[in-house]
Amino acid sequence: MKTNIPERIAALREAMRQQKVDAYIIPSSDPHLSEYPADRWKSREWISGFTGSAGTIVVTADKAGLWTDSRYFLQAASQLEGSGIELYKLALPETPSITEFLLHELHAGQAVGLDGQTYSAAEASALANKLSRKEIKLDTSADLIEGIWKDRPAVPGNPIFEMPEALSGASVHEKLDLINNQLRSEGADCLILAALDEIAWTFNIRGTDVTYNPVVVSYAFVSEDESVLFIKPEKLTAEITEHLKKEGVTLAEYSMIQRYLSRLPENSRVFVDMNKTNVSLYDAIPGSCTIVEGISPANHLKSIKNETEIKGFQNAVVKDGVALTKFYIWLEKQMAEGAQVTEISAAEKLTALRAEQPQYIMDSFGTICGYAEHGAIVHYSATPETDATLKPEGLLLIDSGAQYLDGTTDITRTIALGEPTEQMKKDFTRVLKGTISLAKSKFPAGTRGSQIDILARKALWDSGINYLHGTGHGIGHCLNVHEGPQSIRMEENPVTLKPGMVISDEPAMYRTGEYGIRTENMILVREDSETEFGKFLGFDTLTLCFIDTSLIIIPMLSVREHAWLNKYHQMVYDKISPFLNEEEKAWLKEKTQKFKQLKMALIKSFDGLPRRSVKTLF
């Protein structure tokens, strides 16, 4: 592909000349601003050859650049070599932002172009305002890729399937009523839905249009008078069509959304999530309408799982735990026998074992299987060129998950493949303390994720260690593994944590060139208690998989942390073992009881030592 990149950029520059734009922006997103776009909208990958999940290309008459973050610096440098595209490393002091670059390269009277279907209304508005200060125009109608990508894939037409009410816990009609109730409280009378997970949740539909996310390429419009699903007709079966109509849904062709919006009645009050709606849709709304901005009601409602969905998650983590247990047994045997296992073959084996579980659909993201120094690359993705062979030494980090019809999973475990060093043990134990501290936390109703993020980081901060990604993201119910609007991270997010939200708990640390450590579980927000000081919430840990106790320095854990880990391991064994054979049960029994045995042995070994002497060992 790399040899074609200069030709493609040359073709784009010719299209720019004809369109009379002097710089062109190509983001990673699709018209639904998805994390994972369908093949048709992988324009940034097509024009540059860079395959990372995040990055933006900017092309001018004489320059071309890719802006991406630290997860992809090495990958981008390799894939851009010989393409004529320069790498701009985000967040480094010497790196200009895209806006700063454009303001430096262009002058008054020139224009920046982009495809408004792939840019959020919020981002386009902010960019236009900044460019206007130098009298540079922003043209959001320029889909220049369509004319030069001759074999561009079509809009996905894969058939969809229903999420039955027995698994969703609510009918389409009930969900539409909930959305309309929230619209009324916000002073709006209708809503545009462009985010694919919000549409899938609202209309109880799922599909395979997007890798890793069981969503359906579509748009929707919701109001008390009419709710419309814009979708390619060939995706629908007669049964699904009939069912949706019975639920009060009108069906329309996918491409009709902008024309429909342009005909909205005067004085309509349209609710728009500016960060989830592309600028082309926003511009289609008549000027006579009032825009009500905010986080989509569907997004809020979707994030709070009902009892049926929670039960689904609880079922899904059992299936996932069985697959993970079988995988780690297989891996241990392979390593003991001296068989060749690589990062890619290990990831493929894990996917195969998950696929054996009932109601498996697909993985929920590309497995991150990072051995040794690769584990320190946060979103590492093994390629044939980087595929490392596992050895009986060092650490292996595996971040993985699956989409089951009744729930989505996301888990990270770090295991020792040989005798770990003291530094590895200290780092692992500090990370584990963070995982436990967050899982055990109790906090007042109305708390934001940023207010409890410190709980996951304190044991690391105490040793001058930090990680730069978030601690927790929402997780969808048989939907996107990264779900908003809630989060747990250092950056402020005004969304408060509410009972029913499922979030990841994933503190970590990374030593560049050596190893990475992350221990991630899914946690469920629940009501804890009510006192004279108000209501308090807490978490239930959902994920079921052993934690490698060979990496734990026991005295570094508090009594409460000891108790949590013992209780957690007992839960893992109790819920997973009924689905294992006798050999597998015995293996899991050892993995989940070893902590107690090690603890007793260590206590005995320190018998008689002064407390100060024991303390100085760590």
Side-chain angles (χ1 to χ4, degrees):
M1 178 191 287
K2 195 176 292 185
T3 57
N4 296 328
I5 300 306
E7 297 172 13
R8 294 173 182 177
I9 293 176
L12 175 60
R13 285 180 171 140
E14 175 58 25
M16 290 164 56
R17 187 186 65 79
Q18 294 181 18
Q19 184 74 16
K20 297 182 180 179
V21 296
D22 304 282
Y24 195 71
I25 303 174
I26 308 171
S28 301
S29 55
D30 63 6
H32 308 277
L33 309 178
S34 307
E35 179 180 6
Y36 298 99
D39 288 345
R40 174 175 178 77
W41 293 292
K42 292 182 178 178
S43 303
R44 188 225 59 218
E45 179 179 330
W46 180 82
I47 199 73
S48 68
F50 171 63
T51 59
S53 66
T56 300
I57 291 286
V58 178
V59 177
T60 66
D62 56 0
K63 291 185 180 181
L66 166 73
W67 277 255
T68 192
D69 60 56
S70 60
R71 295 173 296 171
Y72 300 111
F73 287 171
L74 296 177
Q75 178 183 340
S78 173
Q79 293 182 327
L80 295 179
E81 187 177 357
S83 68
I85 300 172
E86 184 178 351
L87 173 60
Y88 289 83
K89 299 178 178 180
L90 285 171
L92 297 188
E94 65 271 20
T95 303
S97 68
I98 289 175
T99 303
E100 290 169 342
F101 172 84
L102 292 170
L103 290 172
H104 180 268
E105 295 296 319
L106 304 183
H107 55 73
Q110 291 191 295
V112 174
L114 56 85
D115 178 2
Q117 293 187 82
T118 63
Y119 231 75
S120 77
E123 289 177 313
S125 176
L127 178 60
N129 286 338
K130 290 178 181 177
L131 294 177
S132 67
R133 297 171 190 171
K134 197 174 176 180
E135 297 182 6
I136 299 170
K137 296 179 181 179
L138 180 64
D139 179 356
T140 62
S141 65
D143 181 6
L144 302 186
I145 299 297
E146 180 67 19
I148 62 175
W149 190 353
K150 301 304 181 183
D151 57 349
R152 187 176 188 177
V155 175
N158 303 330
I160 70 172
F161 58 94
E162 284 189 280
M163 171 64 75
E165 194 174 331
L167 293 175
S168 68
S171 68
V172 176
H173 182 76
E174 289 170 331
K175 291 180 177 181
L176 292 173
D177 280 348
L178 289 171
I179 291 173
N180 280 313
N181 287 340
Q182 287 210 6
L183 289 176
R184 281 195 299 273
S185 69
E186 295 286 346
D189 50 43
C190 58
L191 166 70
I192 300 170
L193 289 179
L196 299 183
D197 59 335
E198 294 178 25
I199 298 167
W201 177 85
T202 301
F203 295 93
N204 281 344
I205 54 176
R206 300 292 189 272
T208 57
D209 288 343
V210 179
T211 305
Y212 305 126
N213 300 330
V215 294
V216 179
V217 171
S218 52
Y219 292 108
F221 177 86
V222 177
S223 71
E224 287 193 353
D225 295 331
E226 184 177 44
S227 293
V228 187
L229 177 63
F230 298 86
I231 187 171
K232 296 184 76 172
E234 60 265 34
K235 302 174 73 67
L236 300 165
T237 64
E239 292 77 15
I240 292 177
T241 298
E242 182 180 359
H243 178 71
L244 287 171
K245 288 180 177 179
K246 284 183 178 178
E247 293 287 318
V249 179
T250 299
L251 298 171
E253 164 62 44
Y254 174 73
S255 61
M256 296 295 291
I257 177 68
Q258 290 188 34
R259 184 182 300 180
Y260 182 91
L261 294 177
S262 70
R263 297 175 179 177
L264 287 176
E266 288 188 14
N267 303 318
S268 294
R269 299 182 62 82
V270 187
F271 193 103
V272 178
D273 188 330
M274 299 288 283
N275 291 305
K276 296 267 191 169
T277 305
N278 71 57
V279 68
S280 293
L281 291 183
Y282 181 81
D283 287 345
I285 301 170
S288 62
C289 296
T290 299
I291 304 298
V292 180
E293 297 183 21
I295 296 174
S296 164
N299 203 16
H300 276 299
L301 292 165
K302 173 176 54 62
S303 70
I304 301 172
K305 278 54 181 178
N306 58 43
E307 290 302 317
T308 301
E309 291 171 318
I310 291 170
K311 178 64 175 174
F313 273 106
Q314 292 166 341
N315 292 337
V317 295
V318 171
K319 292 179 283 194
D320 218 48
V322 171
L324 287 159
T325 300
K326 291 177 180 290
F327 168 77
Y328 283 112
I329 291 173
W330 170 84
L331 180 60
E332 194 172 279
K333 286 182 177 178
Q334 295 293 300
M335 298 301 293
E337 294 169 2
Q340 184 178 28
V341 180
T342 70
E343 293 168 331
I344 290 177
S345 67
E348 289 173 344
K349 179 65 175 180
L350 181 51
T351 294
L353 289 168
R354 280 190 165 114
E356 294 175 359
Q357 295 300 310
Q359 298 179 310
Y360 170 87
I361 302 171
M362 64 178 86
D363 284 357
S364 55
F365 56 97
T367 296
I368 299 169
C369 184
Y371 174 58
E373 66 268 21
H374 288 167
I377 303 171
V378 179
H379 278 199
Y380 172 72
S381 178
T383 66
E385 294 74 28
T386 66
D387 188 21
T389 298
L390 309 188
K391 301 175 182 178
E393 60 187 38
L395 301 183
L396 175 66
L397 183 154
I398 301 182
D399 186 354
S400 65
Q403 299 285 3
Y404 301 97
L405 192 58
D406 49 2
T408 300
T409 64
D410 183 5
I411 172 176
T412 307
R413 287 293 183 267
T414 307
I415 64 169
L417 296 184
E419 184 62 33
T421 66
E422 282 301 299
Q423 178 180 273
M424 290 174 179
K425 290 181 179 181
K426 288 179 182 179
D427 288 342
F428 184 91
T429 307
R430 292 176 184 124
V431 170
L432 177 60
K433 287 171 73 70
T435 304
I436 296 173
S437 181
L438 186 59
K440 287 183 62 63
S441 64
K442 183 175 180 178
F443 48 92
T447 294
R448 304 181 304 280
S450 60
Q451 293 174 296
I452 60 174
D453 181 79
I454 176 60
L455 299 175
R457 297 179 190 266
K458 186 178 186 305
L460 294 164
W461 284 2
D462 286 345
S463 298
I465 299 170
N466 194 23
Y467 54 95
L468 300 181
H469 57 71
T471 296
H473 56 81
I475 298 168
H477 176 255
C478 188
L479 279 174
N480 298 1
V481 74
H482 292 153
E483 175 182 81
Q486 76 275 21
S487 65
I488 300 174
R489 57 190 309 118
M490 294 172 66
E491 296 83 0
E492 180 56 34
N493 178 351
V495 177
T496 60
L497 303 180
K498 294 182 174 62
M501 288 180 169
V502 175
I503 308 173
S504 65
D505 172 4
E506 49 181 313
M509 69 84 54
Y510 309 96
R511 293 195 182 275
T512 303
E514 297 184 54
Y515 56 80
I517 296 171
R518 190 159 65 247
T519 300
E520 176 190 13
N521 289 331
M522 300 195 307
I523 51 179
L524 169 70
V525 185
R526 58 166 172 79
E527 294 182 357
D528 183 274
S529 58
E530 185 168 1
T531 72
E532 61 186 294
F533 299 99
K535 291 184 178 180
F536 284 79
L537 308 178
F539 295 115
D540 283 337
T541 297
L542 296 175
T543 303
L544 298 170
C545 183
F546 78 96
I547 294 169
D548 188 355
T549 54
S550 73
L551 282 163
I552 300 173
I553 296 180
I554 308 301
M556 288 178 63
L557 296 184
S558 69
V559 172
R560 294 181 74 229
E561 289 164 345
H562 279 218
W564 183 93
L565 188 55
N566 282 334
K567 184 178 179 181
Y568 176 72
H569 270 160
Q570 188 63 54
M571 178 177 73
V572 170
Y573 183 80
D574 290 345
K575 293 190 175 183
I576 298 300
S577 61
F579 302 94
L580 305 176
N581 62 35
E582 292 306 314
E583 180 185 354
E584 293 164 341
K585 286 181 183 178
W587 184 92
L588 184 60
K589 188 77 170 177
E590 180 186 0
K591 292 296 181 184
T592 54
Q593 285 194 341
K594 191 181 291 185
F595 174 75
K596 293 181 180 179
Q597 294 165 355
L598 283 173
K599 178 183 172 185
M600 294 306 298
L602 197 54
I603 289 173
K604 288 179 181 177
S605 71
F606 287 146
D607 245 9
L609 282 177
R611 181 170 298 191
R612 184 175 297 173
S613 300
V614 175
K615 225 175 183 181
T616 58
L617 293 175
F618 305 100

